Amino acid sequence: MIREILVYPNKKLKLISKAVTSFDGGLHDLLDDMYETMCASNGVGLASIQVGVDMRVLIINIPIEVAEGEHDQPKENTIEMINPTILFKDGSELFQEGCLSIPGVYEEIERANHIKVDYYDRFGTKQTIEDESFLAIAIQHEIDHLDGKVFIEKLSYIKRKKFEKEWKRKLKEG
Ligand code: CO
């Protein structure tokens, strides 16, 4: 089922999400719905707070090229992270990010380009990922959502002001 994605500056996006304690059917339904919702909006990642659920749950699915110029996000490629913890991060890289809660806005953001993360899968089994690619950036973006942060908060003061002004105008125009 496709769920509604909360749009910035919805106050819920500022909530600190809570740890998941039961890896049950409700969690699996949430994860399945998040995948459908993300694909329907052509996203590569989604945190559960973006569909209004303040739990430490995120998904990432980086599209693969299935034919020339044709991309797909098969469900089995989805990385489902529950209660993730960043064990270490280093390096730095500028990358143009976007967010399904701030549709149409893309800004260069600086983040670590090498991270190691512990998390639980949907069955409650502990997993580890170490990555130095786009996935590392995406994981940091989504974990920020679990802590009530969106990527535009990392912009410089001037760029943030400009964004807020333009975003207000955009929301007014519908
Ligand atoms: Co986002």
Side-chain angles (χ1 to χ4, degrees), residues 92-168:
S92 114
E93 194 171 325
L94 277 175
F95 202 90
Q96 195 171 64
E97 298 186 17
C99 181
L100 292 179
S101 291
I102 314 175
V105 174
Y106 300 92
E107 294 282 357
E108 279 209 324
I109 301 295
E110 187 181 355
R111 294 190 192 270
N113 58 9
H114 178 198
I115 67 166
K116 190 173 178 182
V117 189
D118 254 6
Y119 63 97
Y120 294 86
D121 65 21
R122 64 161 64 201
F123 305 107
T125 305
K126 201 167 194 177
Q127 309 282 352
T128 305
I129 284 184
E130 184 171 353
D131 191 83
E132 294 179 80
S133 69
F134 170 60
L135 177 61
I137 305 285
I139 291 171
Q140 293 170 81
H141 175 115
E142 300 308 332
I143 288 180
D144 271 357
H145 277 299
L146 308 188
D147 295 321
K149 290 181 256 173
V150 290
F151 78 108
I152 44 101
E153 288 172 52
K154 295 179 81 75
L155 292 174
S156 68
Y157 180 79
I158 302 277
K159 280 189 176 168
R160 176 73 186 273
K161 281 271 174 217
K162 187 165 171 270
F163 159 77
E164 292 293 346
K165 204 173 150 193
E166 288 171 358
W167 188 249
K168 242 175 224 155

Side-chain angles (χ1 to χ4, degrees), residues 79-91:
I79 298 171
E80 300 174 336
M81 293 190 165
I82 325 289
N83 302 344
T85 309
I86 295 179
L87 300 175
F88 75 72
K89 53 180 176 181
D90 63 13

Side-chain angles (χ1 to χ4, degrees), residues 33-78:
D33 287 356
M34 283 171 65
Y35 170 75
E36 267 189 63
T37 304
M38 180 186 73
C39 290
S41 296
N42 296 312
V44 300
L46 190 70
S48 62
I49 192 58
Q50 292 180 275
V51 293
V53 180
D54 60 337
M55 296 204 298
R56 302 191 80 79
V57 173
L58 65 88
I59 62 168
I60 294 170
N61 188 317
I62 294 169
I64 51 162
E65 196 168 33
V66 286
E68 209 175 296
E70 204 181 301
H71 292 77
D72 193 17
Q73 292 172 287
K75 187 156 197 273
E76 62 269 23
N77 284 7
T78 307

